[in-house]
Amino acid sequence: MECADAHIHIADCVNWRLPPDTVVCSSAHSWEEFQLVEAAAQEHPGRVMATIGIHPQNPDATLYPVLEELARQERIQAVGEAGFDLFTPELAAGLPQQLEVWHLQLELAKKYQLPLVVHCRKAMDKVFMYTKELKALPAVVFHAYPGSPQEARNLLRHGLNAYFSFGKELIRGRRNSIQCVESLPLERLLAETDAPYQTLHHQAATPPEDIELVYGEFAKICGVGEVGLKAQLLSNFFSLFHSGAKEG
């Protein structure tokens, strides 16, 4: 049964190979990383969605012209990761720069009507400041969604076409993530590995094949069969990337 991995970093995976019967969305945060992602997308037509963004952990605005050119050339399927990361005092000190590149990417996604992939840590209040702008986008993906079920429902009530993606935090027992999967509409959920990141305690790196572990835990929490779950989340994935991504 084909399944979707909504967030992966192809350029950071050692000896990366696309797992069988899997479609993925891969983020890049430099021109060099994007070239590797795009090569994978060309090797696997319709099975690798390519995105590029200015990550809040390295809010370097000089990358923006690259993003704009790739969007203009229709070589990306989404913008991101973009967002806010206030997880440490050092990261929080860079909030002015994070805001600068956030505004640039938000406007870019709006101009080219591209989905936005959001990275957010300890900053959900910042996201809620931009619900009007986010509502104007075709879709918003909250990668490794950090908020509560109530916050997720509030985002949907604000009119966002929002999707909430979860990975190994479900296996690690993160309460908020489990409650979101239990209570949010299934058509608003996505599964991810964030490979090679989001490791379990015994792992040095997450392999892309671990998407199967995520789906297994997802199905247990949802109380649904894994085959049906994969079908629904695959449908969600292609609804998000609605510009002919099923073809090829």
Side-chain angles (χ1 to χ4, degrees):
M1 175 68 193
E2 192 172 35
C3 67
D5 184 342
H7 196 86
I8 191 171
H9 296 271
I10 286 173
D12 295 334
C13 292
V14 177
N15 299 321
W16 180 83
R17 291 184 300 174
L18 182 66
D21 300 319
T22 306
V23 297
V24 303
C25 174
S26 179
S27 289
H29 301 106
S30 70
W31 169 241
E32 292 75 19
E33 288 183 4
F34 178 77
Q35 289 177 293
L36 294 173
V37 175
E38 188 172 52
Q42 291 169 349
E43 183 181 354
H44 305 282
R47 295 179 63 198
V48 176
M49 308 300 136
T51 80
I52 187 170
I54 305 172
H55 199 286
Q57 292 178 358
N58 182 29
D60 182 2
T62 62
L63 184 61
Y64 178 75
V66 174
L67 272 65
E68 184 165 34
E69 183 63 15
L70 291 172
R72 187 188 67 79
Q73 295 178 5
E74 299 182 351
R75 291 166 65 183
I76 55 176
Q77 284 74 57
V79 175
E81 299 166 50
F84 305 100
D85 197 322
L86 309 182
F87 193 69
T88 67
E90 293 75 19
L91 289 169
L95 181 58
Q97 292 76 30
Q98 292 185 32
L99 283 165
E100 177 189 3
V101 296
W102 166 259
H103 290 146
L104 289 171
Q105 293 175 97
L106 193 55
E107 288 303 309
L108 184 68
K110 183 178 178 181
K111 178 179 179 180
Y112 291 97
Q113 281 297 285
L114 289 167
L116 185 68
V117 179
V118 174
H119 171 108
C120 180
R121 292 202 301 176
K122 292 197 171 183
M124 283 302 295
D125 59 317
K126 300 290 186 292
V127 171
F128 275 98
M129 293 170 60
Y130 294 94
T131 53
K132 183 178 179 180
E133 292 86 350
L134 293 169
K135 181 181 176 180
L137 302 181
V140 183
V141 183
F142 289 93
H143 143 62
Y145 174 66
S148 68
Q150 183 61 45
E151 287 171 319
R153 286 190 287 269
N154 285 342
L155 289 168
L156 294 171
R157 289 191 191 105
H158 275 88
L160 277 68
N161 184 25
Y163 294 85
F164 306 93
S165 186
F166 301 94
K168 286 184 175 176
E169 63 267 36
L170 300 177
I171 301 172
R172 294 196 297 254
R174 185 175 183 272
R175 184 176 178 183
N176 263 3
S177 300
I178 291 170
Q179 289 177 338
C180 286
V181 169
E182 287 174 334
S183 62
L184 292 176
L186 200 56
E187 62 268 20
R188 290 293 167 185
L189 301 179
L190 294 166
E192 65 173 71
T193 58
D194 197 19
Y197 308 109
Q198 279 195 32
T199 56
L200 299 176
H201 72 277
H202 63 282
Q203 293 180 308
T206 285
E209 292 78 11
D210 276 7
I211 191 61
E212 292 293 340
L213 298 179
V214 175
Y215 272 99
E217 192 67 23
F218 229 114
K220 291 178 189 176
I221 295 168
C222 289
V224 300
E226 195 168 331
V227 171
L229 177 70
K230 286 182 176 181
Q232 178 62 63
L233 271 57
L234 185 68
S235 175
N236 298 349
F237 182 89
F238 281 123
S239 293
L240 164 64
F241 299 108
H242 54 76
S243 56
K246 285 185 179 180
E247 300 174 5

